[in-house]
Amino acid sequence: MKCTLNEHKNKPYKIVTNYLKVQDYCFEISGEDIDKCQITYSFDNYKSVLYDDGKEVETKIKPLISIELSGFKEKEEASISLSLGTDIETLNKYPSKPIEITDMVIDGESFIKYPKEKLIGFLDLDRPKNNIDDMYINYPSIWFYKISKNIFMFKVVIPNSVFAYFKVDFNEEVDHD
């Protein structure tokens, strides 16, 4: 399968950035608190192409929500970013209870920037393999909770690396037609 990002369908691409209030987030990388956080998000589409024996079998345009949580440890920037293969309408259909959404995260499109590191790396989103080895692994998890229409709390746990929860208010970008 091949994925190409930024297939826009003639819709203007907009990036929204909001500073978070202290009560709206907790962000730790490697056990160190990250503060002065902001959330950046955008809505887009990506093209998913399925190949069989080198021949294109199926092409789909799928929705994409990109979310980045960034802040500082002392004067060093740190961040995590996730690309979710969904849209705001789908998220709003979920009930107001914690929902595990790790499977919505697009592999290869989720990153981490550690404080004091110059380079950005991939988030370790190792997934269960449904065998006995799963018993010995503390897998990453990503959750969300719908507070109200277009407003969500997300939680990201990557064992021994990241713990974060943060509020995202998508109302600034959502079409109200």
Side-chain angles (χ1 to χ4, degrees), residues 11-64:
K11 185 175 179 185
Y13 182 73
K14 181 179 177 185
I15 297 173
V16 177
T17 300
N18 293 314
Y19 286 93
L20 294 172
K21 296 176 183 172
V22 172
Q23 66 268 23
D24 291 336
Y25 75 92
C26 174
F27 187 19
E28 294 178 7
I29 293 182
S30 299
E32 297 186 277
D33 288 333
I34 310 299
D35 57 15
K36 298 177 187 151
C37 288
Q38 65 182 24
I39 203 77
T40 302
Y41 65 86
S42 63
F43 297 99
D44 204 352
N45 293 298
Y46 69 100
K47 184 180 189 181
S48 174
V49 182
L50 182 63
Y51 291 93
D52 187 16
D53 289 329
K55 294 184 181 180
E56 187 176 319
V57 176
E58 183 179 15
T59 300
K60 291 183 180 179
I61 302 297
K62 296 181 178 181
L64 179 75

Side-chain angles (χ1 to χ4, degrees), residues 22-140:
V22 172
Q23 66 268 23
D24 291 336
Y25 75 92
C26 174
F27 187 19
E28 294 178 7
I29 293 182
S30 299
E32 297 186 277
D33 288 333
I34 310 299
D35 57 15
K36 298 177 187 151
C37 288
Q38 65 182 24
I39 203 77
T40 302
Y41 65 86
S42 63
F43 297 99
D44 204 352
N45 293 298
Y46 69 100
K47 184 180 189 181
S48 174
V49 182
L50 182 63
Y51 291 93
D52 187 16
D53 289 329
K55 294 184 181 180
E56 187 176 319
V57 176
E58 183 179 15
T59 300
K60 291 183 180 179
I61 302 297
K62 296 181 178 181
L64 179 75
I65 300 175
S66 297
I67 302 171
E68 179 181 68
L69 175 65
S70 61
F72 293 89
K73 170 65 180 167
E74 296 166 0
K75 293 183 180 183
E76 300 291 333
E77 187 176 12
S79 65
I80 57 170
S81 62
L82 307 167
S83 291
L84 304 176
T86 192
D87 57 25
I88 193 71
E89 292 80 16
T90 301
L91 292 181
N92 276 313
K93 289 178 185 175
Y94 284 96
S96 291
K97 69 177 193 173
I99 306 286
E100 203 265 341
I101 60 167
T102 308
D103 287 341
M104 285 186 191
V105 177
I106 297 175
D107 289 330
E109 293 298 326
S110 299
F111 306 98
I112 184 168
K113 169 143 183 349
Y114 290 92
K116 302 178 187 169
E117 296 281 329
K118 299 274 185 226
L119 300 176
I120 295 173
F122 289 103
L123 269 179
D124 181 12
L125 294 176
D126 207 9
R127 309 261 167 95
K129 295 164 186 63
N130 295 320
N131 62 36
I132 190 70
D133 295 336
D134 289 346
M135 297 291 294
Y136 307 104
I137 298 171
N138 186 9
Y139 284 106

